[in-house]
Amino acid sequence: MNVIDIINKTKKSYELTDTEIRWIVENYTNGGISDYQMSAWLMAVCINGLTERETFTLTMAMRDSGETLDFSRLGKITADKHSTGGVGDKTSLIIAPVVASCGVAMPKMSGRGLGHTGGTIDKLESISGYRTELPFYEFSETVRKTGFSIISQSGNLCPADKKIYSLRNATGTVDSIPLICASIMSKKLALNADCILLDVKCGSGAFMKTRSDAEKLAVLMEKVGKSAGKKCRAVVTDMDSPLGNNIGNALEVKEAIEILQGKYKGRLYDVCMELTADILELAEKGTLEECRRLAENAVSSGKALEVFRETVRLHGGDCRICDDVSLLPQPRYSYEVRAVHDMKILGINSEEIGMTSLILGAGRLKKDDTIDISAGIVMNCTAGDCISVDDTIMTLYSSTVSDFSEASFRAVNALKFCSI
Ligand code: URA
């Protein structure tokens, strides 16, 4: 087999055989194919796409490049959830304990934030002592004891994806639906839960900016999951405005705990309850309506918060935050963005809010940038709200930035409003 022939076939939109796809993945992973040849093939895929069969084979080849986990000894149905990333998206911190307290186990591996999007692992690291790296035995034991555990991607899972994803980042080949599908689904299939819920975000703060692209990705990922023998569902949810009021790592943990304490309802709570109901239905816990009720009861009874507390404790984290969120890292500086006249908020651009949060220190531009876990934004309004002159629209926080001029300029730019 010859890599030039494979590049040429995809360049001319001819279908590759399963053997050719497996060969290019194996040989790139083991160093037999150079970065420049793989980049040429990835660019051909970006331009011409892949068929569903090719995408499925690529996903399986990437999954098979490393180990596959096995939770069968838990004796429980397992579920996994993936969000394609966004701004203020702390849904995993809420959904995992809720699902676990309804009797479905959630072993989860999550990532770190990059650019305007946040990552669950950074959020968890704002809890003092919380270990995001656990050996498989401890990861699985935590899931057995409490029903869920969230750790960073570790072990030898999907080495092909690690290598291909960093090449895609460096060669402008990230925005391809079959490549995104294969990258996400290979990791989900390597974790190997029985049920997989895919939450494809759509809008200004998401990878997929249009509904039609988000739906294409959702349909493709669901097909790949089902073809691999999983109970799999993909839903498209809105990321045109940030999810919840808080953006930034410790601030998002605080908001997640407050939701688990039953203090707040609203869009974030509703999205979490809907996604949880989808997972519980996939796990055959009842009809969608029954599952939604199970989820709501897990929050209102305080059961989900107890599960969260115990998981944090087993990870070595300070679980007193479940009663006192002021024990989370506190920012040194703050700045209130106030309305200069009466106004109606028409929209909030999530990507701009994500970039404001990054400027404050909460995010990273490059993979190994350090972050300020106390930094971020608390929004005091959502689209549709009317604000009076001098009311606080949002508060900016940081421990590393004390001059808020750049961040506040960007924050105001994120708002679409009209005078009233
Ligand atoms: N997230 C992934 O894991 N892979 C992609 O290709 C895009 C987003």
Side-chain angles (χ1 to χ4, degrees):
M1 217 159 302
N2 172 337
V3 67
I4 314 270
D5 290 342
I6 293 181
I7 296 168
N8 274 323
K9 272 180 92 170
T10 304
K11 189 177 76 183
K12 292 177 186 160
S13 293
Y14 298 152
E15 250 187 285
L16 298 177
T17 65
D18 290 349
T19 314
E20 285 168 326
I21 294 172
R22 285 198 169 269
W23 184 87
I24 197 166
V25 171
E26 268 166 38
N27 282 280
Y28 180 62
T29 310
N30 68 26
I33 291 174
S34 65
D35 281 351
Y36 54 82
Q37 287 171 319
M38 191 63 176
S39 308
W41 183 69
L42 291 169
M43 188 55 85
V45 173
C46 261
I47 293 166
N48 291 331
L50 291 176
T51 63
E52 279 176 23
R53 183 198 50 80
E54 287 176 303
T55 307
F56 177 72
T57 306
L58 177 64
T59 308
M60 299 312 263
M62 285 162 66
R63 179 200 68 178
D64 296 341
S65 66
E67 62 178 317
T68 303
L69 302 185
D70 177 6
F71 293 100
S72 57
R73 288 171 67 187
L74 285 176
K76 265 189 180 178
I77 188 143
T78 50
D80 195 3
K81 166 224 163 236
H82 181 83
S83 233
T84 56
V87 179
D89 182 357
K90 67 284 284 171
T91 53
S92 291
L93 300 178
I94 300 163
I95 291 172
V98 177
V99 167
S101 47
C102 296
V104 175
M106 267 196 113
K108 213 173 143 31
M109 284 191 182
S110 293
R112 295 182 187 280
L114 191 62
H116 68 277
T117 63
T120 303
I121 291 303
D122 296 324
K123 299 175 213 238
L124 285 168
E125 284 182 352
S126 67
I127 303 173
S128 167
Y130 187 103
R131 289 171 300 143
T132 53
E133 284 174 26
L134 295 183
F136 179 72
Y137 172 75
E138 211 179 331
F139 177 43
S140 168
E141 264 304 284
T142 308
V143 178
R144 192 182 62 72
K145 287 181 182 151
T146 73
F148 92 95
S149 173
I150 304 178
I151 59 170
S152 55
Q153 265 131 27
S154 57
N156 185 33
L157 252 65
C158 294
D161 178 62
K162 269 188 204 120
K163 217 174 154 187
I164 294 171
Y165 196 28
S166 44
L167 187 64
R168 285 169 59 211
N169 260 321
T171 55
T173 51
V174 170
D175 59 342
S176 147
I177 288 177
L179 294 179
I180 294 174
C181 170
S183 168
I184 293 173
M185 291 309 292
S186 60
K187 288 178 285 217
K188 295 290 111 186
L189 295 174
L191 188 114
N192 205 13
D194 305 310
C195 311
I196 304 172
L197 183 78
L198 302 155
D199 171 22
V200 180
K201 299 287 185 202
C202 165
S204 65
F207 253 111
M208 298 290 124
K209 304 286 182 209
T210 66
R211 182 99 205 166
S212 114
D213 276 351
E215 274 165 7
K216 274 187 210 147
L217 179 63
V219 167
L220 187 61
M221 291 203 294
E222 187 174 302
K223 278 189 183 159
V224 166
K226 285 180 175 164
S227 303
K230 299 296 179 189
K231 289 183 179 163
C232 183
R233 181 177 300 166
V235 294
V236 175
T237 62
D238 173 55
M239 190 36 81
D240 245 341
S241 53
L243 194 48
N245 296 327
N246 296 12
I247 299 102
N249 300 294
L251 289 167
E252 292 191 39
V253 172
K254 174 175 181 281
E255 191 174 25
I257 290 173
E258 287 169 343
I259 292 271
L260 291 173
Q261 287 170 336
K263 278 194 180 155
Y264 297 114
K265 298 259 156 72
R267 181 171 156 237
L268 171 63
Y269 173 83
D270 282 337
V271 169
C272 290
M273 293 301 106
E274 273 157 31
L275 296 176
T276 303
D278 276 316
I279 295 171
L280 296 176
E281 194 197 28
L282 279 178
E284 296 177 10
K285 289 284 172 188
T287 63
L288 203 55
E289 297 82 75
E290 286 163 349
C291 291
R292 167 105 194 198
R293 273 198 298 279
L294 282 176
E296 287 179 348
N297 285 341
V299 175
S300 59
S301 65
K303 236 167 105 186
L305 183 64
E306 285 320 302
V307 168
F308 184 79
R309 182 198 307 276
E310 190 52 12
T311 297
V312 169
R313 193 184 68 76
L314 290 176
H315 275 258
D318 181 358
C319 57
R320 293 174 305 159
I321 55 161
C322 295
D323 304 308
D324 181 0
V325 289
S326 73
L327 293 170
L328 285 161
Q330 298 298 313
R332 288 168 64 193
Y333 312 110
S334 66
Y335 179 86
E336 290 184 4
V337 177
R338 289 170 183 270
V340 288
H341 48 74
D342 293 351
M343 59 172 73
K344 180 170 181 173
I345 304 291
L346 302 173
I348 301 166
N349 182 304
S350 319
E351 184 163 1
E352 280 301 298
I353 289 291
M355 288 311 292
T356 306
S357 172
L358 188 148
I359 291 168
L360 292 166
R364 50 174 82 74
L365 274 175
K366 293 190 291 350
K367 241 166 59 182
D368 14 276
D369 287 348
T370 52
I371 57 167
D372 170 0
I373 47 176
S374 68
I377 303 165
V378 174
M379 304 291 308
N380 281 7
C381 62
T382 53
D385 285 356
C386 291
I387 313 260
S388 304
V389 62
D390 212 34
D391 278 356
T392 303
I393 301 174
M394 65 184 105
T395 308
L396 313 181
Y397 295 99
S398 183
S399 292
T400 45
V401 173
S402 55
D403 174 355
F404 285 91
S405 44
E406 188 189 356
S408 58
F409 177 78
R410 196 112 196 198
V412 172
N413 252 342
L415 301 172
K416 201 169 156 212
F417 57 85
C418 63
S419 302
I420 48 173

